[in-house]
């Protein structure tokens, strides 16, 4: 069972971890701006003084919440690499299948980092660097796999995959499973097939 699935009131979980779990659940479900520090502290079974002892401000808590999500994404890439060692094409396919499964789950609110970018337009906000770093890293991972899989234009293919994913997430939020966002795996497979003749 992951930490997020455990009770935030479990005394065996340190306060800092409980605060992050509560922030993760509340921020994703309701939006960053809509959730107060008081609500996070209450959900974590602690108080504002303890929260501010671990996070000097709500903005720094937001940044750490997003940093935690980015690290979870990195873990997924690492798991895929371990499952398909030395096979970048299989890693790409596994990633598409995994993402397609996540997109198909009901009740999702899309990408938490993309949602945060909309809520936090200030370029100086500490979370902005986390968001931009994560999105750049995700694109770089796709470009690396496309290159290692032998595509002649890995940057273009990676950008097309990346933008289809971003668009699918938004589309699923706006129109639901009846929209084209639900066809993400199918569209990506067709896209990769269209690039197949352009490989080494």
């Amino acid at each position: 069972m992951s930490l997020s699935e455990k009770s935030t009131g479990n005394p065996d979980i340190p306060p800092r971890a409980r605060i992050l779990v509560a922030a993760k659940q509340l921020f994703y479900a309701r939006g960053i701006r809509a959730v107060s520090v008081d609500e996070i502290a209450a959900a974590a079974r602690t108080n504002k003084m303890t929260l501010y002892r671990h996070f000097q401000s709500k903005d720094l808590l937001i940044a750490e919440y997003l940093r935690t999500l980015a690290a979870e994404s990195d873990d997924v890439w690492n798991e895929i690499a371990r499952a398909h060692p030395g096979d970048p094409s299989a890693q790409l396919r596994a990633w598409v299948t995994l993402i397609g499964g996540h997109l198909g789950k009901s009740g999702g609110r899309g990408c938490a980092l993309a949602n945060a970018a909309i809520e936090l337009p200030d370029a100086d906000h500490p979370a902005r660097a986390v968001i931009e770093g994560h999105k750049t890293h995700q694109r770089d991972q796709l470009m690396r796999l496309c290159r290692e899989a032998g595509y002649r234009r890995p940057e273009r293919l990676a950008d097309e995959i990346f933008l289809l994913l971003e668009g699918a997430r938004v589309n699923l939020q706006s129109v639901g499973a009846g929209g084209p966002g639900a066809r993400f795996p199918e569209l990506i497979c067709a896209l990769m097939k269209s690039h197949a003749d352009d490989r080494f």
Side-chain angles (χ1 to χ4, degrees):
M1 181 181 291
S2 70
L3 185 58
S4 63
E5 293 171 323
K6 296 177 181 178
S7 169
T8 53
N10 186 337
D12 295 330
I13 301 174
R16 186 179 189 279
R18 295 203 311 271
I19 292 165
L20 278 171
V21 169
K24 178 180 178 181
Q25 294 170 345
L26 291 170
F27 285 155
Y28 187 71
R30 293 172 45 200
I32 288 170
R33 296 296 189 196
V35 177
S36 70
V37 169
D38 286 321
E39 289 175 299
I40 296 168
R45 301 290 197 272
T46 187
N47 54 57
K48 282 174 64 174
M49 183 180 296
T50 300
L51 187 150
Y52 282 126
R53 189 162 55 241
H54 292 283
F55 305 95
Q56 293 180 350
S57 68
K58 181 183 177 183
D59 287 345
L60 291 177
L61 172 58
I62 292 166
E64 187 60 25
Y65 147 70
L66 295 175
R67 198 173 288 114
T68 300
L69 294 180
E72 290 174 3
S73 178
D74 288 341
D75 290 342
V76 168
W77 285 109
N78 293 334
E79 288 172 11
I80 289 173
R82 285 192 296 269
H84 306 279
D87 191 342
S89 293
Q91 290 177 33
L92 270 173
R93 291 192 299 270
W95 178 82
V96 169
T97 299
L98 181 67
I99 293 298
H102 284 305
L103 290 174
K105 291 180 181 177
S106 61
R109 294 190 63 244
C111 175
L113 285 100
N115 293 344
I118 295 168
E119 288 199 71
L120 306 170
D122 185 356
D124 294 329
H125 193 287
R128 292 296 305 194
V130 179
I131 296 166
E132 291 167 16
H134 169 71
K135 293 296 183 179
T136 299
H137 180 62
Q138 185 177 54
R139 177 187 178 270
D140 289 345
Q141 289 280 66
L142 287 169
M143 188 164 57
R144 177 184 60 79
L145 288 178
C146 290
R147 182 183 299 111
E148 292 176 359
Y151 292 98
R152 288 186 183 275
R153 294 181 292 173
E155 295 89 353
R156 176 170 176 172
L157 178 56
D159 283 347
E160 290 172 348
I161 293 172
F162 183 80
L163 290 173
L164 271 173
L165 173 58
E166 296 287 279
R169 285 169 164 158
V170 173
N171 181 258
L172 282 164
Q173 286 190 74
S174 60
V175 300
R183 296 173 54 210
F184 172 78
E186 173 192 343
L187 295 172
I188 292 298
C189 289
L191 176 64
M192 292 170 64
K193 185 176 181 180
S194 74
H195 280 259
D197 293 337
D198 197 22
R199 298 172 73 176
F200 294 122

